[in-house]
Amino acid sequence: MSNFEQFHIDFYQSNYTIEDQEEDCNSYGSDKNLCESRKRQAEKQPAGGAFVPSDMLPAAQSYSGQILQPAYSPDAPQLGCVDGFDEEPPLLEELGINFEHIWQKTLTVLNPMKPADGSIMNETDLTGPMVFCLALGATLLMAGKVHFGYVYGMSAMGCLAMHALLNLMSVSGVSHGCVASVLGYCLLPMVILSSSAVVFSLQGISGTVLALFVIGWCSLSASKIFTSALAMEGQQLLIAYPCALLYGLFALLTVF
């Protein structure tokens, strides 16, 4: 047992100190950075290797945040947080629906003598035309006539024909959407004619006169708007003639 204790004491005792470690670093040409880091760790380590509780640690090392939420640091740069929903335009404006312009166009159609605003009439607004086409088909359905296909078919063919004609007559040219918008808004008097067909029959002299009046009303409003939007002064009658032919087809659907 004495030999074992002597071996145990000899095995754990050593005269190796920090100064010897520095000499080893200098003698063997070790990395200076490694040696300096070892010296700093030895200086920072408490004497006797005592345990330091967590509450004695510096405040900078303590973590005060929550799980999945980093701690707030006032020194960190704050990024500008902009609420994008407040700056976005309304949904109706993104879809191109402006009720004020729709009301102004409707009043322009209802009053053929009112001058048209070319800047507003040159917009490709199809909200009003779609509503008026549905209203025409609905009133014809109430009169016992299922003509939705005819209404949309003649509208499409009429828009293509008027687009080709107006591009030949005007210098600036016109888009398909503008032609469809103007012709659709000017369909409103024809909706009034089809609504009257629900109340009484139009197959007679009074019905024929009323249909001719509505055809002239629609063609006059459409030609006035096209003349104002495309700057075609002096050509209103030339534009009103093909418009009258188109609205005459809708009148035939309404009367017969």
Side-chain angles (χ1 to χ4, degrees):
M1 292 296 291
S2 61
N3 294 332
F4 179 75
E5 291 178 357
Q6 184 65 30
F7 173 77
H8 181 72
I9 294 172
D10 294 339
F11 181 79
Y12 284 100
Q13 287 182 353
S14 176
N15 295 325
Y16 186 78
T17 60
I18 297 177
E19 288 77 8
D20 296 334
Q21 183 179 0
E22 294 177 356
E23 293 177 0
D24 293 339
C25 291
N26 295 328
S27 61
Y28 291 98
S30 300
D31 192 1
K32 294 182 178 180
N33 295 329
L34 180 60
C35 295
E36 291 178 358
S37 63
R38 290 179 178 178
K39 289 171 65 178
R40 294 194 189 99
Q41 292 178 1
E43 292 175 357
K44 292 181 180 180
Q45 185 176 5
F51 174 74
V52 180
S54 60
D55 54 357
M56 297 294 291
L57 293 175
Q61 298 179 0
S62 61
Y63 179 74
S64 59
Q66 298 179 0
I67 299 177
L68 301 179
Q69 293 184 0
Y72 173 75
S73 178
D75 299 333
Q78 299 295 329
L79 299 177
C81 184
V82 180
D83 192 0
F85 294 100
D86 296 337
E87 296 183 356
E88 289 183 356
L91 180 60
L92 294 179
E93 185 177 348
E94 291 183 354
L95 296 177
I97 300 175
N98 192 333
F99 289 104
E100 184 179 357
H101 290 181
I102 293 173
W103 179 246
Q104 292 181 3
K105 292 179 182 180
T106 305
L107 292 179
T108 303
V109 173
L110 292 176
N111 187 8
M113 302 303 173
K114 179 182 178 181
D117 189 358
S119 61
I120 296 178
M121 295 301 171
N122 204 16
E123 297 177 355
T124 58
D125 175 28
L126 298 179
T127 305
M130 292 296 295
V131 172
F132 294 153
C133 286
L134 287 174
L136 179 60
T139 51
L140 290 175
L141 182 62
M142 294 175 63
K145 304 173 184 178
V146 185
H147 293 325
F148 283 98
Y150 291 104
V151 170
Y152 286 107
M154 289 191 301
S155 299
M157 295 300 295
C159 290
L160 293 176
M162 286 298 300
H163 176 264
L165 181 62
L166 291 174
N167 281 330
L168 293 175
M169 296 177 63
S170 64
V171 179
S172 59
V174 65
S175 61
H176 291 89
C178 180
V179 175
S181 178
V182 174
L183 294 178
Y185 273 103
C186 294
L187 199 64
L188 179 58
M190 198 62 61
V191 177
I192 300 175
L193 179 64
S194 62
S195 300
S196 62
V198 179
V199 181
F200 57 90
S201 177
L202 298 177
Q203 296 181 3
I205 298 177
S206 60
T208 303
V209 173
L210 182 60
L212 292 175
F213 174 76
V214 171
I215 292 172
W217 187 0
C218 295
S219 59
L220 181 61
S221 299
S223 61
K224 176 191 64 175
I225 295 174
F226 281 130
T227 303
S228 176
L230 302 178
M232 300 172 62
E233 289 78 6
Q235 303 181 19
Q236 185 173 356
L237 293 178
L238 296 176
I239 301 174
Y241 176 70
C243 292
L245 295 179
L246 175 62
Y247 291 114
L249 296 177
F250 290 106
L252 291 176
L253 287 179
T254 304
V255 174
F256 300 101

